[in-house]
Amino acid sequence: MRKLTLLFIIMALSTGMGFAQKEQRRQKRQEVAEFRLNEDICSNCKRKIEGNIPFEKGVTALAYGDDGTTVKVTYRADKTDTLKLRKAFEKIKFEVLETNLVEKGQAE
Amino acid sequence: MQKLIILLLLTFITLPAAADEKLKGYVLDEQKDPVTGANIYWEKSKIGVTSDSEGYFEIDHTQLHEHLIITYTGFITQSVHVEEKNKALKVILEEDKQLLEELVVSRRTPGTLTQRSAVAQTQKVTMGEIHRAACCNLGESFETNPSVDVAYSDAATGARQIKLLGLAGTYVQMLTENYPNFRGVASPYGMDYIPGAWMEGIYISKGTSSVKNGYEALAGQINVEYKKPQTMDHFSLNLFGSDAMRMEVNADAGIHLNEQLTTALFVHYSNDTQAHDRNEDGFLDYPKTKQFNLMNRWNHEAGKYVAQYGFKYINEQREGGQETHHHTLDDPYSIKLNTNRGEFYTKQAYVFRADELAESAAVIASGSIHDQQSQYDKTPYEVQQKNLYLSLLYEKDFSAMHNLSTGLSLNYDGFDETLQTSSFNRDETVTGAYAQYTFNLHNKLILLGGIRADHSSRYGFFITPRLHLKYNPYEWIHLRGSVGKGFRTANVLAENNYLLASSRRIEIADNLDQEEAWNAGVNATFYIPAGDREITLTGEWYHTRFMQQVVVDVDSDPHAISFYNLNEGRSYSNSAQVEMSYPFFTGFTLTAAYRYTHSMSDYRNQLSGETLFLTKPLMNDYKGLLTASYQTPLRKWQFDLTGQLNGGGRMPMAANTNPLWEEQFDPFMVVNGQVTKFFRNFSLYLGAENLFDFRQPDPIIDAVNPRSDNFDATMVWGPVHGRKIYAGLRYTIPRY
């Protein structure tokens, strides 16, 4: 048991670094949507967004727009859509004023 | 200095309940130029204004308890607790060097930050850094830090010692919440008294620090900040278990009772009571330990008046010695320690002005009772230390350039100490006063000079001068220098009672003097742009010279430990360190560091009168550290790996005929690794300490005959327990 756990750790550590990149390559159809919120995104709001939105199914990247009120979400089109993501924002008490599909996903 | 005051305000102050007038203020950049068009708004009410060409703004107060947020593109967003309604606020925005066209989420803040603005060289170990290792308590929080070493003092009691700048931990002043703590009898085991999960951050400063906290801190200062009820999460839980069957539970909750009153409750329980004897020397590799730790703190803010209260209780039981689980022994050698410690503290602050010319007064009071009942085989050692500390502080900015801080202090230590049948009761009261002046020339040149005068009931009057200088001709280079004096009262038995885990005779000279040393150091930190990131390069050198010291001599006689005054003898320590860190790509940071330490002291053989000038024993010559951390873009996974190369060193002198140990010990390497997986409100971690299972061979001398003249468990230079595999869970109900 002890050796097994150790083996697992060594494996996890050595493969860990390339893990994320590999995961991204596997993903096929990515879409990017912009969500304009009803308020300026304060530092605590960022904590809230970063603590929740990445854990929505299908979300692969997150960024903020220059205007201080939009969040750019990259996600797998086969796993989620803008409607579901909008609901996710509402669940953490943000109102979404506008949803923009910036990049339509294309199959590789 | 202003930043210090802002920091003080942030720690102490929040918003009053009702407000009727407009809040006025200025937004400036680091060069004190006005920032035009900055957004200023209340965090919850979202009422906002922008600053004009003078950087000036006016904003209505709100009824809510909320922060004022100041944002401007290209600058780090500031969140300010506004306390003074009627005085103009001054906000200094720091340029965000990391910021590009678009803000990328999960741009990580490094775990260990060199405080750019601090006058004295100060490093902050953040919660993120603490979470990089198993980190059950303070003693285990420095595994990724090149400056601080934590090593076992002996192979039987589990006592741990910090080493900084090549000096023993007793020369490092320990502070919690910025007041002195864990002095005297608490020092050998104090590293275990602060659970990792309770901490918000650790500040490490090297060299003599400010005179505000007293005359101690010869080598440096370590300040632990606990989580604050105002800002901490609603609830957090940490469960930990290791393959050695160590179990640990930490829980804390922050409760906002009303706008003015907040409280927090912290609980810790750990149980490490499995017997382990992997090297089969008949002795437990480390003692069986049980600890219960409880803390409650309160924060009360009413306008200009801020008060904090805290209470803490610790019970710890340790049991070491011969392993009786698998061996039947008629009369096993055993070490038992039972510790009870109670603490309280309060801070009361009144802020007269919180604008650019701040003025405040504060009282700090703290006290503790520490009771240790111990049995080192046939030798009972009982000690009770009572401490009371009072401090009165006043601070005022006369202008942007001149600041004065002054205060009075009183410290009482009382010891009731019994070793076998001899008692060593004593007490010491030290009253003192200090003044500290800061000259700040546009934040480019800062000069901080402090002096304090104290009177000890045992040692009479003494003066402690200290001087710090910081010069940053350009934003990318920060030069610091410090020189100062430090004093300390040695409590030899209380601070070294783990030495009773040997057959050595204990010889304590009469009339031990107060320890006295000069410390000087220089430091240069460069922030070199490389790509869109920054290389941080730090080089430093520190020298400590003792004018008077209580020498701990294990060299003159292999069967004795002697404590005596250095008197005319020589004792010094040199420490040089270089450190470099670079975030190679998003989410990845690598830090490499190398430190060289050289400590020498005179050892005087009491019988022959012969004096030997030797390097300090059991001290590593150097330390190399390489630590890497990677977080995936959405912060779902984190990988940490740290390698420490610890240099060799000198062993205490063994007997001439038939020596039982080598003259030197060899360098050794310790590797730690951890993987963390984050979920929405919790994270799981799995890791290994001492991955390659390095252990010091035979850490206990003559373990087979623990009652012989040769028995000695204190000749420890390396890890006494091997690989530890652990896993745990952190759960939080966040406060946004």
Side-chain angles (χ1 to χ4, degrees), chain B residues 663-713:
Chain B
E663 280 177 21
Q664 301 279 330
F665 62 90
D666 293 328
F668 62 94
M669 189 147 106
V670 175
V671 176
N672 303 322
Q674 184 178 294
V675 184
T676 313
K677 170 84 175 98
F678 295 91
F679 298 91
R680 203 182 287 252
N681 285 327
F682 69 101
S683 57
L684 295 172
Y685 56 93
L686 175 71
E689 261 176 72
N690 197 351
L691 200 60
F692 298 112
D693 203 18
F694 177 81
R695 279 174 297 153
Q696 174 182 349
D698 308 316
I700 301 178
I701 311 296
D702 207 6
V704 196
N705 307 302
R707 293 189 184 101
S708 76
D709 281 354
N710 291 325
F711 170 75
D712 197 342

CSV table of all heavy atoms in Angstrom, one decimal, chain B residues 663-713:
chain,number,residue,atom,x,y,z
B,663,GLU,N,33.7,12.7,13.4
B,663,GLU,CA,34.1,14.1,13.7
B,663,GLU,C,33.2,15.1,12.9
B,663,GLU,O,32.9,16.2,13.3
B,663,GLU,CB,35.5,14.4,13.2
B,663,GLU,CG,36.5,13.9,14.3
B,663,GLU,CD,37.9,14.1,13.8
B,663,GLU,OE1,38.2,14.9,12.9
B,663,GLU,OE2,38.8,13.4,14.4
B,664,GLN,N,32.8,14.6,11.7
B,664,GLN,CA,32.0,15.4,10.8
B,664,GLN,C,30.7,14.7,10.4
B,664,GLN,O,30.7,13.4,10.5
B,664,GLN,CB,32.7,15.7,9.5
B,664,GLN,CG,34.1,16.4,9.7
B,664,GLN,CD,34.0,17.9,9.8
B,664,GLN,OE1,33.0,18.5,9.3
B,664,GLN,NE2,34.9,18.4,10.6
B,665,PHE,N,29.7,15.4,10.0
B,665,PHE,CA,28.6,14.7,9.3
B,665,PHE,C,28.5,15.2,7.8
B,665,PHE,O,29.0,16.3,7.5
B,665,PHE,CB,27.3,14.9,10.0
B,665,PHE,CG,26.8,16.4,10.1
B,665,PHE,CD1,26.0,16.9,9.2
B,665,PHE,CD2,27.1,17.1,11.2
B,665,PHE,CE1,25.5,18.2,9.3
B,665,PHE,CE2,26.7,18.5,11.3
B,665,PHE,CZ,25.9,19.0,10.4
B,666,ASP,N,28.0,14.4,7.0
B,666,ASP,CA,28.0,14.6,5.6
B,666,ASP,C,26.8,15.4,5.1
B,666,ASP,O,25.7,15.4,5.7
B,666,ASP,CB,28.1,13.3,4.8
B,666,ASP,CG,29.4,12.6,5.1
B,666,ASP,OD1,30.4,13.3,5.2
B,666,ASP,OD2,29.4,11.3,5.1
B,667,PRO,N,26.9,16.0,3.9
B,667,PRO,CA,25.7,16.7,3.4
B,667,PRO,C,24.6,15.7,3.1
B,667,PRO,O,24.9,14.5,2.8
B,667,PRO,CB,26.2,17.3,2.0
B,667,PRO,CG,27.7,17.3,2.1
B,667,PRO,CD,28.1,16.2,3.0
B,668,PHE,N,23.4,16.1,3.1
B,668,PHE,CA,22.3,15.2,2.8
B,668,PHE,C,21.2,15.9,2.1
B,668,PHE,O,21.1,17.2,2.1
B,668,PHE,CB,21.8,14.5,4.0
B,668,PHE,CG,21.2,15.4,5.1
B,668,PHE,CD1,19.8,15.7,5.1
B,668,PHE,CD2,22.0,16.0,6.0
B,668,PHE,CE1,19.3,16.6,6.0
B,668,PHE,CE2,21.5,16.9,6.9
B,668,PHE,CZ,20.2,17.2,6.9
B,669,MET,N,20.3,15.2,1.4
B,669,MET,CA,19.3,15.8,0.6
B,669,MET,C,17.9,15.4,1.1
B,669,MET,O,17.7,14.2,1.4
B,669,MET,CB,19.5,15.4,-0.9
B,669,MET,CG,18.6,16.2,-1.8
B,669,MET,SD,19.3,16.5,-3.3
B,669,MET,CE,18.4,15.4,-4.3
B,670,VAL,N,17.0,16.3,1.1
B,670,VAL,CA,15.6,16.0,1.4
B,670,VAL,C,14.7,16.5,0.3
B,670,VAL,O,14.9,17.7,-0.1
B,670,VAL,CB,15.2,16.6,2.8
B,670,VAL,CG1,13.8,16.4,3.1
B,670,VAL,CG2,16.1,16.1,3.9
B,671,VAL,N,13.8,15.7,-0.2
B,671,VAL,CA,12.9,16.1,-1.3
B,671,VAL,C,11.5,16.0,-0.8
B,671,VAL,O,11.1,14.9,-0.2
B,671,VAL,CB,13.2,15.3,-2.5
B,671,VAL,CG1,12.1,15.7,-3.6
B,671,VAL,CG2,14.6,15.5,-3.1
B,672,ASN,N,10.7,17.0,-1.0
B,672,ASN,CA,9.3,17.0,-0.6
B,672,ASN,C,8.5,17.2,-1.9
B,672,ASN,O,8.9,18.0,-2.7
B,672,ASN,CB,8.9,18.0,0.4
B,672,ASN,CG,9.8,17.9,1.6
B,672,ASN,OD1,10.1,16.8,2.1
B,672,ASN,ND2,10.1,19.1,2.2
B,673,GLY,N,7.3,16.6,-2.0
B,673,GLY,CA,6.4,16.9,-3.1
B,673,GLY,C,5.0,16.8,-2.7
B,673,GLY,O,4.6,16.1,-1.7
B,674,GLN,N,4.1,17.5,-3.4
B,674,GLN,CA,2.7,17.5,-3.1
B,674,GLN,C,1.9,17.8,-4.3
B,674,GLN,O,2.3,18.6,-5.2
B,674,GLN,CB,2.4,18.6,-2.0
B,674,GLN,CG,1.0,18.5,-1.5
B,674,GLN,CD,0.7,19.5,-0.4
B,674,GLN,OE1,1.2,19.4,0.7
B,674,GLN,NE2,-0.1,20.5,-0.7
B,675,VAL,N,0.8,17.1,-4.4
B,675,VAL,CA,-0.2,17.4,-5.5
B,675,VAL,C,-1.5,17.8,-4.8
B,675,VAL,O,-1.9,17.2,-3.8
B,675,VAL,CB,-0.5,16.1,-6.3
B,675,VAL,CG1,-1.4,16.4,-7.5
B,675,VAL,CG2,0.8,15.5,-6.8
B,676,THR,N,-2.1,18.9,-5.3
B,676,THR,CA,-3.4,19.4,-4.8
B,676,THR,C,-4.4,19.5,-5.9
B,676,THR,O,-4.1,20.0,-7.0
B,676,THR,CB,-3.2,20.8,-4.2
B,676,THR,OG1,-2.0,20.8,-3.4
B,676,THR,CG2,-4.4,21.2,-3.3
B,677,LYS,N,-5.6,19.0,-5.6
B,677,LYS,CA,-6.7,19.1,-6.6
B,677,LYS,C,-7.7,20.0,-6.0
B,677,LYS,O,-8.2,19.7,-4.9
B,677,LYS,CB,-7.2,17.7,-6.9
B,677,LYS,CG,-8.5,17.7,-7.7
B,677,LYS,CD,-8.3,17.8,-9.2
B,677,LYS,CE,-9.5,17.7,-10.0
B,677,LYS,NZ,-10.1,19.0,-10.4
B,678,PHE,N,-8.1,21.0,-6.7
B,678,PHE,CA,-9.1,22.0,-6.2
B,678,PHE,C,-10.4,21.7,-6.8
B,678,PHE,O,-10.6,21.4,-7.9
B,678,PHE,CB,-8.7,23.4,-6.6
B,678,PHE,CG,-7.4,23.9,-6.0
B,678,PHE,CD1,-6.2,23.7,-6.6
B,678,PHE,CD2,-7.4,24.5,-4.7
B,678,PHE,CE1,-5.0,24.1,-6.1
B,678,PHE,CE2,-6.2,24.9,-4.2
B,678,PHE,CZ,-5.0,24.7,-4.8
B,679,PHE,N,-11.4,21.8,-5.9
B,679,PHE,CA,-12.8,21.7,-6.3
B,679,PHE,C,-13.5,23.0,-5.9
B,679,PHE,O,-12.8,23.9,-5.4
B,679,PHE,CB,-13.5,20.5,-5.7
B,679,PHE,CG,-12.9,19.2,-6.0
B,679,PHE,CD1,-11.9,18.6,-5.3
B,679,PHE,CD2,-13.3,18.5,-7.2
B,679,PHE,CE1,-11.3,17.4,-5.7
B,679,PHE,CE2,-12.7,17.3,-7.6
B,679,PHE,CZ,-11.7,16.8,-6.8
B,680,ARG,N,-14.8,23.1,-6.1
B,680,ARG,CA,-15.4,24.4,-5.9
B,680,ARG,C,-15.2,24.9,-4.5
B,680,ARG,O,-14.7,26.0,-4.4
B,680,ARG,CB,-16.9,24.3,-6.2
B,680,ARG,CG,-17.6,25.6,-6.5
B,680,ARG,CD,-19.0,25.4,-6.7
B,680,ARG,NE,-19.3,24.7,-8.0
B,680,ARG,CZ,-19.9,25.3,-9.1
B,680,ARG,NH1,-20.1,26.6,-9.0
B,680,ARG,NH2,-20.1,24.6,-10.1
B,681,ASN,N,-15.5,24.2,-3.5
B,681,ASN,CA,-15.3,24.7,-2.2
B,681,ASN,C,-14.3,23.9,-1.3
B,681,ASN,O,-14.3,24.0,-0.1
B,681,ASN,CB,-16.6,24.9,-1.4
B,681,ASN,CG,-17.4,26.1,-1.9
B,681,ASN,OD1,-16.8,27.1,-2.3
B,681,ASN,ND2,-18.7,26.0,-1.9
B,682,PHE,N,-13.7,22.9,-2.0
B,682,PHE,CA,-12.7,22.2,-1.2
B,682,PHE,C,-11.6,21.7,-2.1
B,682,PHE,O,-11.6,21.9,-3.3
B,682,PHE,CB,-13.4,21.0,-0.5
B,682,PHE,CG,-13.9,19.9,-1.5
B,682,PHE,CD1,-13.1,18.7,-1.6
B,682,PHE,CD2,-15.0,20.0,-2.2
B,682,PHE,CE1,-13.5,17.7,-2.5
B,682,PHE,CE2,-15.5,19.0,-3.1
B,682,PHE,CZ,-14.7,17.9,-3.2
B,683,SER,N,-10.5,21.3,-1.4
B,683,SER,CA,-9.4,20.8,-2.2
B,683,SER,C,-8.9,19.5,-1.4
B,683,SER,O,-9.0,19.4,-0.2
B,683,SER,CB,-8.3,21.8,-2.3
B,683,SER,OG,-7.9,22.3,-1.0
B,684,LEU,N,-8.2,18.7,-2.2
B,684,LEU,CA,-7.6,17.5,-1.7
B,684,LEU,C,-6.1,17.5,-2.0
B,684,LEU,O,-5.7,18.0,-3.0
B,684,LEU,CB,-8.2,16.2,-2.4
B,684,LEU,CG,-9.7,15.9,-2.2
B,684,LEU,CD1,-10.1,14.8,-3.1
B,684,LEU,CD2,-10.0,15.6,-0.7
B,685,TYR,N,-5.3,17.1,-1.0
B,685,TYR,CA,-3.9,17.1,-1.3
B,685,TYR,C,-3.3,15.8,-0.9
B,685,TYR,O,-3.8,15.1,0.0
B,685,TYR,CB,-3.2,18.3,-0.6
B,685,TYR,CG,-3.4,18.4,0.9
B,685,TYR,CD1,-2.5,17.8,1.8
B,685,TYR,CD2,-4.5,19.1,1.4
B,685,TYR,CE1,-2.7,17.9,3.1
B,685,TYR,CE2,-4.7,19.2,2.8
B,685,TYR,CZ,-3.8,18.6,3.6
B,685,TYR,OH,-3.9,18.7,5.0
B,686,LEU,N,-2.2,15.4,-1.6
B,686,LEU,CA,-1.5,14.2,-1.3
B,686,LEU,C,0.0,14.5,-1.5
B,686,LEU,O,0.3,15.1,-2.5
B,686,LEU,CB,-2.0,13.1,-2.4
B,686,LEU,CG,-1.2,11.8,-2.3
B,686,LEU,CD1,-1.6,11.0,-1.1
B,686,LEU,CD2,-1.5,11.0,-3.5
B,687,GLY,N,0.8,14.1,-0.6
B,687,GLY,CA,2.2,14.5,-0.7
B,687,GLY,C,3.1,13.5,0.1
B,687,GLY,O,2.7,12.6,0.7
B,688,ALA,N,4.4,13.8,-0.1
B,688,ALA,CA,5.4,13.0,0.6
B,688,ALA,C,6.4,14.0,1.1
B,688,ALA,O,6.9,14.9,0.4
B,688,ALA,CB,6.0,12.0,-0.3
B,689,GLU,N,6.8,13.8,2.3
B,689,GLU,CA,7.9,14.5,2.9
B,689,GLU,C,9.1,13.5,2.9
B,689,GLU,O,8.9,12.4,3.2
B,689,GLU,CB,7.6,14.9,4.4
B,689,GLU,CG,7.1,16.3,4.6
B,689,GLU,CD,6.7,16.4,6.0
B,689,GLU,OE1,7.6,16.5,6.9
B,689,GLU,OE2,5.5,16.5,6.3
B,690,ASN,N,10.3,14.1,2.6
B,690,ASN,CA,11.5,13.2,2.7
B,690,ASN,C,11.3,12.0,1.8
B,690,ASN,O,11.4,10.9,2.2
B,690,ASN,CB,11.8,12.8,4.1
B,690,ASN,CG,13.2,12.3,4.3
B,690,ASN,OD1,13.9,12.1,3.3
B,690,ASN,ND2,13.6,12.1,5.5
B,691,LEU,N,11.0,12.3,0.5
B,691,LEU,CA,10.6,11.3,-0.5
B,691,LEU,C,11.6,10.2,-0.6
B,691,LEU,O,11.2,9.0,-0.8
B,691,LEU,CB,10.4,12.1,-1.9
B,691,LEU,CG,9.6,11.4,-2.9
B,691,LEU,CD1,8.2,11.2,-2.5
B,691,LEU,CD2,9.6,12.3,-4.2
B,692,PHE,N,12.9,10.5,-0.5
B,692,PHE,CA,13.9,9.4,-0.7
B,692,PHE,C,14.3,8.8,0.6
B,692,PHE,O,15.3,8.1,0.7
B,692,PHE,CB,15.0,10.0,-1.5
B,692,PHE,CG,14.6,10.4,-2.9
B,692,PHE,CD1,14.6,11.7,-3.2
B,692,PHE,CD2,14.1,9.5,-3.8
B,692,PHE,CE1,14.2,12.1,-4.5
B,692,PHE,CE2,13.7,9.9,-5.0
B,692,PHE,CZ,13.7,11.2,-5.4
B,693,ASP,N,13.5,9.1,1.6
B,693,ASP,CA,13.6,8.4,2.9
B,693,ASP,C,15.0,8.5,3.5
B,693,ASP,O,15.6,7.5,3.9
B,693,ASP,CB,13.3,6.9,2.6
B,693,ASP,CG,12.8,6.2,3.9
B,693,ASP,OD1,12.5,6.9,4.9
B,693,ASP,OD2,12.8,5.0,4.0
B,694,PHE,N,15.6,9.7,3.5
B,694,PHE,CA,16.9,9.8,4.2
B,694,PHE,C,16.7,10.0,5.7
B,694,PHE,O,15.9,10.8,6.2
B,694,PHE,CB,17.6,11.0,3.6
B,694,PHE,CG,18.9,11.2,4.3
B,694,PHE,CD1,20.0,10.5,4.0
B,694,PHE,CD2,19.1,12.1,5.4
B,694,PHE,CE1,21.2,10.6,4.6
B,694,PHE,CE2,20.3,12.2,6.1
B,694,PHE,CZ,21.3,11.4,5.7
B,695,ARG,N,17.5,9.2,6.4
B,695,ARG,CA,17.5,9.3,7.9
B,695,ARG,C,18.9,9.3,8.4
B,695,ARG,O,19.8,8.6,7.8
B,695,ARG,CB,16.8,8.1,8.5
B,695,ARG,CG,15.2,8.2,8.4
B,695,ARG,CD,14.6,7.0,8.9
B,695,ARG,NE,14.9,5.8,8.0
B,695,ARG,CZ,14.9,4.6,8.4
B,695,ARG,NH1,14.6,4.3,9.7
B,695,ARG,NH2,15.2,3.6,7.6
B,696,GLN,N,19.1,10.0,9.5
B,696,GLN,CA,20.4,10.0,10.1
B,696,GLN,C,20.6,8.6,10.7
B,696,GLN,O,19.8,8.1,11.5
B,696,GLN,CB,20.5,11.0,11.2
B,696,GLN,CG,21.8,11.0,12.0
B,696,GLN,CD,21.8,12.0,13.2
B,696,GLN,OE1,21.0,12.9,13.2
B,696,GLN,NE2,22.8,11.8,14.0
B,697,PRO,N,21.7,7.9,10.3
B,697,PRO,CA,21.9,6.6,11.0
B,697,PRO,C,22.3,6.8,12.4
B,697,PRO,O,23.0,7.7,12.8
B,697,PRO,CB,23.1,6.0,10.1
B,697,PRO,CG,23.7,7.2,9.4
B,697,PRO,CD,22.7,8.3,9.4
B,698,ASP,N,21.7,5.9,13.2
B,698,ASP,CA,22.0,5.9,14.7
B,698,ASP,C,22.0,7.3,15.3
B,698,ASP,O,23.0,7.8,15.9
B,698,ASP,CB,23.4,5.3,15.0
B,698,ASP,CG,23.5,3.9,14.3
B,698,ASP,OD1,22.5,3.2,14.4
B,698,ASP,OD2,24.5,3.6,13.7
B,699,PRO,N,20.9,7.9,15.4
B,699,PRO,CA,20.8,9.3,16.0
B,699,PRO,C,21.0,9.3,17.5
B,699,PRO,O,21.4,10.3,18.1
B,699,PRO,CB,19.4,9.8,15.6
B,699,PRO,CG,18.6,8.6,15.3
B,699,PRO,CD,19.6,7.6,14.8
B,700,ILE,N,20.8,8.1,18.1
B,700,ILE,CA,20.9,8.0,19.5
B,700,ILE,C,22.2,7.2,19.9
B,700,ILE,O,22.4,6.1,19.4
B,700,ILE,CB,19.7,7.4,20.2
B,700,ILE,CG1,18.5,8.2,19.9
B,700,ILE,CG2,19.9,7.2,21.7
B,700,ILE,CD1,17.2,7.6,20.4
B,701,ILE,N,23.1,7.9,20.6
B,701,ILE,CA,24.3,7.2,21.0
B,701,ILE,C,24.1,6.3,22.1
B,701,ILE,O,23.5,6.6,23.2
B,701,ILE,CB,25.4,8.3,21.4
B,701,ILE,CG1,25.5,9.4,20.4
B,701,ILE,CG2,26.8,7.6,21.7
B,701,ILE,CD1,25.9,9.0,19.0
B,702,ASP,N,24.6,5.0,21.9
B,702,ASP,CA,24.4,4.0,23.0
B,702,ASP,C,23.0,3.8,23.4
B,702,ASP,O,22.6,3.7,24.6
B,702,ASP,CB,25.3,4.3,24.2
B,702,ASP,CG,25.7,3.0,24.9
B,702,ASP,OD1,25.4,1.9,24.4
B,702,ASP,OD2,26.4,3.1,26.0
B,703,ALA,N,22.1,3.7,22.4
B,703,ALA,CA,20.7,3.5,22.7
B,703,ALA,C,20.4,2.2,23.4
B,703,ALA,O,19.3,2.1,24.1
B,703,ALA,CB,19.9,3.5,21.4
B,704,VAL,N,21.3,1.3,23.3
B,704,VAL,CA,21.0,0.0,24.0
B,704,VAL,C,21.1,0.1,25.5
B,704,VAL,O,20.5,-0.6,26.3
B,704,VAL,CB,22.1,-1.1,23.5
B,704,VAL,CG1,21.6,-2.5,23.8
B,704,VAL,CG2,22.2,-0.9,22.0
B,705,ASN,N,22.0,1.0,25.9
B,705,ASN,CA,22.2,1.2,27.4
B,705,ASN,C,21.8,2.6,27.8
B,705,ASN,O,22.7,3.4,28.0
B,705,ASN,CB,23.7,0.9,27.8
B,705,ASN,CG,24.1,-0.4,27.3
B,705,ASN,OD1,23.5,-1.4,27.7
B,705,ASN,ND2,25.1,-0.4,26.5
B,706,PRO,N,20.6,2.9,27.8
B,706,PRO,CA,20.2,4.3,28.0
B,706,PRO,C,20.6,4.9,29.4
B,706,PRO,O,20.5,6.1,29.6
B,706,PRO,CB,18.7,4.3,27.9
B,706,PRO,CG,18.2,2.9,28.1
B,706,PRO,CD,19.4,2.1,27.6
B,707,ARG,N,21.0,4.0,30.3
B,707,ARG,CA,21.4,4.5,31.6
B,707,ARG,C,22.9,4.5,31.8
B,707,ARG,O,23.5,4.7,32.8
B,707,ARG,CB,20.7,3.8,32.7
B,707,ARG,CG,19.2,4.1,32.7
B,707,ARG,CD,18.4,3.6,33.9
B,707,ARG,NE,17.0,3.9,33.6
B,707,ARG,CZ,16.1,3.0,33.2
B,707,ARG,NH1,16.5,1.8,33.0
B,707,ARG,NH2,14.9,3.4,33.0
B,708,SER,N,23.6,4.3,30.6
B,708,SER,CA,25.1,4.3,30.7
B,708,SER,C,25.6,5.7,30.6
B,708,SER,O,24.8,6.6,30.2
B,708,SER,CB,25.7,3.4,29.6
B,708,SER,OG,25.6,4.1,28.4
B,709,ASP,N,26.9,5.9,30.8
B,709,ASP,CA,27.5,7.2,30.7
B,709,ASP,C,27.5,7.8,29.3
B,709,ASP,O,27.6,9.0,29.1
B,709,ASP,CB,29.0,7.1,31.2
B,709,ASP,CG,29.1,7.1,32.7
B,709,ASP,OD1,28.0,7.3,33.3
B,709,ASP,OD2,30.2,6.9,33.2
B,710,ASN,N,27.4,6.9,28.3
B,710,ASN,CA,27.5,7.3,26.9
B,710,ASN,C,26.2,7.7,26.3
B,710,ASN,O,26.2,8.3,25.2
B,710,ASN,CB,28.2,6.2,26.1
B,710,ASN,CG,29.6,6.0,26.5
B,710,ASN,OD1,30.3,6.9,26.8
B,710,ASN,ND2,30.1,4.7,26.5
B,711,PHE,N,25.1,7.3,26.9
B,711,PHE,CA,23.8,7.5,26.2
B,711,PHE,C,23.6,9.0,25.9
B,711,PHE,O,23.8,9.9,26.7
B,711,PHE,CB,22.7,7.1,27.1
B,711,PHE,CG,21.3,7.5,26.7
B,711,PHE,CD1,20.7,6.8,25.6
B,711,PHE,CD2,20.6,8.5,27.3
B,711,PHE,CE1,19.5,7.2,25.1
B,711,PHE,CE2,19.4,8.9,26.8
B,711,PHE,CZ,18.8,8.3,25.7
B,712,ASP,N,23.2,9.3,24.7
B,712,ASP,CA,23.0,10.7,24.2
B,712,ASP,C,22.1,10.8,23.0
B,712,ASP,O,22.4,10.3,22.0
B,712,ASP,CB,24.4,11.3,23.9
B,712,ASP,CG,24.4,12.8,23.8
B,712,ASP,OD1,23.3,13.4,23.7
B,712,ASP,OD2,25.4,13.4,23.9
B,713,ALA,N,21.0,11.4,23.2
B,713,ALA,CA,20.0,11.5,22.1
B,713,ALA,C,20.1,12.9,21.5
B,713,ALA,O,19.3,13.2,20.6
B,713,ALA,CB,18.6,11.3,22.6
